[in-house]
Amino acid sequence: MFDSPFGSFFDGMPVFFVIVFVIILAIVVTTLVRNITTWSSNNQQPRLNVEATVAGKRTRTSGGNQTAVSTHYYVTFEVASGDRMELKVSGQAYGLMAEGDQGMLQFQGTRYLDFQRSTDQRSDV
């Protein structure tokens, strides 16, 4: 046979398991590189403060059955120009916002930083 750079780790393992291992490793490395690239790109962007309105909210859950369930929170903001952006927010920030809220949005690239609701909004309650 040939000398493997991995020693005897893969010796005796069916080829199928080696292929599955390589595919999983490639997915993990690709996800890690993508997340680091996004993080770096956001760090290079300026921190912006803009007036915005909460246009929508949504959640996405992942996991289940025998694994832990995670919930991801997203809020869509509309700025004065009519452009919309969806940003991932914490559960606490998500709970403090309601559709129609207006205020100052602070963000950096695709990273949500803060939303300060205007205090002069009329309450319909």
Side-chain angles (χ1 to χ4, degrees):
M1 211 170 232
F2 64 91
D3 287 335
S4 169
F6 300 106
S8 63
F9 180 73
F10 290 121
D11 291 350
M13 290 183 76
V15 175
F16 172 75
F17 290 114
V18 173
I19 292 171
V20 169
F21 176 79
V22 170
I23 289 172
I24 291 172
L25 184 63
I27 291 170
V28 169
V29 169
T30 302
T31 302
L32 186 63
V33 168
R34 186 176 345 131
N35 288 342
I36 290 172
T37 302
T38 301
W39 176 81
S40 177
S41 173
N42 282 338
N43 285 343
Q44 295 174 10
Q45 299 295 317
R47 289 177 178 231
L48 299 175
N49 291 304
V50 296
E51 289 188 27
T53 302
V54 175
K57 296 170 57 174
R58 72 177 179 95
T59 60
R60 182 179 60 86
T61 55
S62 59
N65 295 336
Q66 286 113 7
T67 62
V69 175
S70 319
T71 303
H72 304 275
Y73 301 92
Y74 300 90
V75 176
T76 301
F77 296 95
E78 184 173 337
V79 295
S81 66
D83 292 332
R84 290 182 172 208
M85 67 183 84
E86 183 178 66
L87 300 173
K88 186 175 181 179
V89 301
S90 69
Q92 182 179 7
Y94 182 89
L96 293 173
M97 291 182 230
E99 288 187 33
D101 281 353
Q102 297 176 345
M104 286 300 273
L105 169 66
Q106 184 180 45
F107 66 99
Q108 185 178 24
T110 60
R111 183 184 299 144
Y112 167 84
L113 298 173
D114 192 32
F115 181 73
Q116 293 293 320
R117 186 174 48 226
S118 296
T119 56
D120 60 346
Q121 293 186 49
R122 197 183 95 211
S123 176
D124 293 334
V125 184

